[in-house]
Amino acid sequence: MKKKLNILLWLSIFLISLGINAQSTKPMINSTLDGVVIDEITKQPIPGVNVQIKGITHSVITDLDGKFSFQTGQKYPYILVVTSIGYVNKEQIVNDKFIQITLKEDVKELNEVVVIGYGTTSKKDYTGAAETVSKQALRSTQRSLESALQGSVAGVNVTQTSGQPGSGLSIRVRGGSSIQGGNEPLYVIDGFPIYNSDVTSGVLSGSATNPLSSINPADIESITVLKDASSTAIYGSRGANGVVIVTTKKGKSNIMAVNYDYSIGQQEVRKKVSVLDAAGFSRLRNAALFDTNPSLGPNQYLSEAQIAQLGKGVDWQDEAFRTAQTQNHQLSITGGNNQTKYAISGNYFNQEGIIKNTGFERLSGRINLDSKLSDKSRFGVNLSIAETKSKVAPSGLVTALLSMPPTATIYEADGSYTLRNPFENIFSNPIATLNERKNRAINTRTLGTVFGEYDLLENLVLKVSFGADLIANKETTYIPSTIYEGLITNGEAKIGNSNNKTWLNENTLTYTKVFNDVHSLNVLAGYTQQSSTRDFVTTGSQQFVNDITSDNSLQSGNLALIPTSGESKWALNSYLSRVNYNYDSKYYLTASIRADGSSRFGKNNKWGYFPSVAAAWQIDRENFFSPLSNVINSFKLRTSYGSTGNQEIGEYQSLSTLSSVKYLFGDQIYTGFTPTRIANDDLGWELTNQFDAGIDLGIFNNKVFLTLDAYRKTTKNLLLDVQIPYTSGFTSSLQNFGSVQNQGIELGINTSLSNGDFAWTSNFNIAFNKNKVLALGSDAEFYTFGNYILKVGDPLGSFYGAVTDGILQTADIATKGAFTGNATPKAGDRLYKDINGDGAFTTAADRTTIGNAQPDFTFGFSNNFNFRNFELAVIVQGSVGNDILNGNSQALELFNGQQNASTSALDAWTPANPSTTTPRAKLDPAPVFSNRFVEDGSFVRFKNITLSYNVPKTLIEKFKLTSVKLRLVGENLITLTNYSGFDPEVTNGSSISPGTDTGIYPTAKSISAGLSVTF
């Protein structure tokens, strides 16, 4: 069967190619013309240009080399009309048999098309707030589509949750709104809505593979981010966090192109965390032991002579980190004719992790097909299949690398692994874990849509589409008996399988009509349904005879683990409608409404209704504006208001549930069930109301285009676990309480400047957002969650801890000792402020807000410079004003001599060093979270620097090649920051506790070289 499908595929391509090369009937020949069309700036050929003799219908299309030929009945001279999307139309007089035509990019036209929910529109006709990612940003990544958003779109904050290859990113569009619900945007990939949640069976230790990493970024044609309610309300209950619309590449009429792109590179850790070497650690341990028992002398661990012989000891970071290789292979074939267009691609991407024995592989293929079946009907298919393989660093590995003492060894004298930290704190040997532990995931994803369109009437189009998203996940772990984690179990194997199956059906009617040349109307109505099922099963065993079979022979374990399994489902039925109207391209009005019925909510709140309205005024079209038209070419005011929802709370949250438990009755173990959740029939949507006002301004022949937006969005009916009376038998219940507000300003400036052979295009964006909790459930003023506080009037992600107040000196023990928090204060202890004024410090009573993870503003600045055959692209991004909870620093400043410590320990308090701000070493410290471990996370990063060279046509045409491009790419090469951790771009993805850096896989910097060949 597979062989037959391959034969059919190649036969189809052959037939399509024949159609492309079919020739029309030749006219009477009075003159012959050969020509070529090139870009005015890059001097590269432009394929697909329409060249027509003015006054007659005879026209041709340029080939991949930008060439065209005419055999015509016209005599010289005559006029050619040359048109191409993205370029200014041109008329050229012909006097000879050969002509070279140069076209100039039309910046205004390049910004014309905007992909929106259930359709497209022109930029000038759009009333909402949407932004399209630049082509350079799309080309800047080979890893995942989300990374193209970093620094590219105003109001979109993208933060790394882990540097683990294949792991995810946390994205916030105009700030986070939900506390316990989802905050990630909705992705719509070729019309298929996807919420990007981890797919895992729960067996894997460490970061789960990002499901969107299965999509090859090279297949993406455009990414548009919908931000305001007018744009997102058409997605109703899933639009509250913004919508990211992804369109993949399609074929082009009359052009067949084959492109092969190859790149190879290497990456390394951006920076290491400064920790003590063997000598420094030995002196720290001596000081901690001496502090506990001075009578035994100052060198209770090692003498100075022994310390002098140690050298640097083991640098655990150097032992784990490596220079890692990356490679990427991309093959694509595009083409078509007036009836059928196709795009076929294949990709292999391999990224080694900068930590040994970690990495990510992707093998993917895609077929996009669009066909015109008749004058009234059209058909299309978008299908991608991908398999990803991940080798994942286990949880706690980075913490162990930082904490292992440098005096500990990797191997014992007999060659076996040193199993653990030799002192009181238990940290397993991280190198043994990396080398011997198996921790892998394989994901296979099939994502496809098929659609048909039929013109019921002249202006009425019916579109029906079906889609499926199938994800199969397999996770395997094996902990051998030769490392510390496997000692007790004598080897442990686990296997988990999970499957996500989602199907979609959408049915829409679109009516488009222009009345009396001034009244333009577009009406959309539709019904959609989507359903998803997830199931999982895990199993495992322990007590293996040997480690040879790993997880491939669970029956070889003597102790079977209790298997687990489960299944969950959700469904969504929706009705939607939208009306776009404009009068004479001056006055615009858009109104939409969507009704969603979700299985996730209580029986009294299954349906939600999400309306929006928007208006715009194209002022430059007014007669009174004509005196300014030479300077201001485009000037539009727009405003919108609407409601969107959030259904991302998981399944069955409104229902009472039971869980199985094991209990002992007599001498027998029985299985029973216990209630775990109380029902809430009124559980409903988180509702976000958003107001937006904006200006679109084009000046200097649209060489400078400015977009300014101000917004306020308020989310109410927040989903919170609130306390309920104990008499109910439960402690809390998920209910709709509280509200959060985000308000801000976004500015984007696009420029396009050229002078002769030189051209410069740029995109600058900056966004200011203020986040604030307006209310919490049951009239509560605040809730605390560990080192975080959720408080009315404060932003989400506020840190909650003590405030340091210097170091206790010997003379101040009697007067200030109560502010150390220790029962027996001692000189060298850290002092803390008495927040409640009761005359003493306690960690329970004297905490306060000490920072927050919300940035004051974020920005991005992308530049593209062209000079003859050279191209330089530079993308800069940054965040200013956000704080980071440096959990690594907190652990490394215990100074207990049982684990390694920060180099700040070299300046620890001693009687001879009393002026320091670093506390003394002590064997048994009481950890206190304070502002000392909250650092400024502001940064400016050169995210991508790409230098490209287009090989001249004269050098490659004898090889029958259309273009050859060489490039050199640097990613994350320069980062300007004061943050002391591995990298400032870090978060754990939570709304309550973002900006937390505790043992997260570090971010890499990389450099690569690439070659792109088209023929």
Side-chain angles (χ1 to χ4, degrees), residues 582-595:
N582 83 71
Y583 174 76
D584 198 23
S585 296
K586 293 181 184 179
Y587 314 112
Y588 298 84
L589 181 66
T590 299
S592 71
I593 187 169
R594 177 165 178 145

Side-chain angles (χ1 to χ4, degrees), residues 609-879:
Y609 302 91
F610 308 97
S612 75
V613 62
W617 179 22
Q618 195 74 40
I619 302 177
D620 61 276
R621 295 273 300 176
E622 300 287 358
N623 292 333
F624 67 77
F625 197 82
S626 56
L628 299 175
S629 60
N630 290 332
V631 178
I632 302 177
N633 315 112
S634 176
F635 186 19
K636 180 167 67 177
L637 295 178
R638 50 185 168 76
T639 185
S640 67
Y641 183 81
S643 299
T644 49
N646 185 2
Q647 69 156 7
E648 296 305 325
I649 63 170
E651 293 76 42
Y652 313 128
Q653 295 296 312
S654 68
L655 304 177
S656 58
T657 55
L658 301 174
S659 293
S660 61
V661 294
K662 303 293 184 183
Y663 65 95
L664 185 65
F665 188 78
D667 58 353
Q668 298 292 320
I669 296 178
Y670 294 89
T671 300
F673 288 87
T674 182
T676 54
R677 183 186 300 125
I678 192 171
N680 182 0
D681 293 339
D682 295 319
L683 190 68
W685 317 89
E686 289 187 344
L687 187 66
T688 297
N689 296 318
Q690 183 174 184
F691 169 80
D692 183 280
I695 298 173
D696 297 329
L697 186 68
I699 58 178
F700 307 129
N701 293 321
N702 283 320
K703 292 182 181 295
V704 179
F705 198 86
L706 179 148
T707 300
L708 178 67
D709 279 271
Y711 63 88
R712 174 180 288 180
K713 67 173 187 176
T714 303
T715 303
K716 61 182 182 178
N717 297 332
L718 289 177
L719 294 163
L720 292 172
D721 274 315
V722 298
Q723 291 184 349
I724 58 177
Y726 286 102
T727 53
S728 67
F730 300 88
T731 58
S732 64
S733 171
L734 187 65
Q735 299 182 27
N736 293 106
F737 277 109
S739 62
V740 169
Q741 182 185 90
N742 286 276
Q743 58 182 356
I745 297 175
E746 299 166 351
L747 172 66
I749 303 175
N750 296 325
T751 65
S752 178
L753 306 174
S754 61
N755 184 10
D757 291 334
F758 176 78
W760 172 33
T761 60
S762 70
N763 172 279
F764 174 78
N765 67 80
I766 188 169
F768 302 82
N769 182 73
K770 293 295 183 183
N771 177 277
K772 182 170 63 174
V773 177
L774 298 181
L776 294 171
S778 303
D779 297 323
E781 287 298 314
F782 67 91
Y783 291 106
T784 59
F785 303 87
N787 296 328
Y788 288 83
I789 185 170
L790 191 62
K791 184 179 180 181
V792 174
D794 286 355
L796 295 173
S798 294
F799 304 114
Y800 192 57
V803 179
T804 59
D805 197 22
I807 301 297
L808 181 66
Q809 302 298 327
T810 304
D812 299 326
I813 293 177
T815 56
K816 296 184 178 180
F819 304 118
T820 64
N822 297 323
T824 305
K826 190 174 181 179
D829 286 341
R830 197 185 294 277
L831 292 169
Y832 301 96
K833 288 188 177 180
D834 176 18
I835 300 298
N836 66 357
D838 64 357
F841 169 79
T842 60
T843 54
D846 291 306
R847 292 190 294 172
T848 187
T849 302
I850 54 175
N852 74 82
Q854 303 287 345
D856 294 333
F857 63 90
T858 57
F859 66 91
F861 189 29
S862 62
N863 299 269
N864 204 75
F865 305 94
N866 290 85
F867 181 72
R868 295 181 179 174
N869 291 339
F870 290 92
E871 180 181 349
L872 176 65
V874 181
I875 300 177
V876 181
Q877 66 169 128
S879 177

Side-chain angles (χ1 to χ4, degrees), residues 499 501 532-537 565-569 651-652:
N499 294 279
K501 301 175 183 178
S532 181
T533 302
R534 174 183 178 266
D535 62 74
F536 74 93
V537 59
S565 65
E567 183 180 81
S568 61
K569 298 180 180 180
E651 293 76 42
Y652 313 128

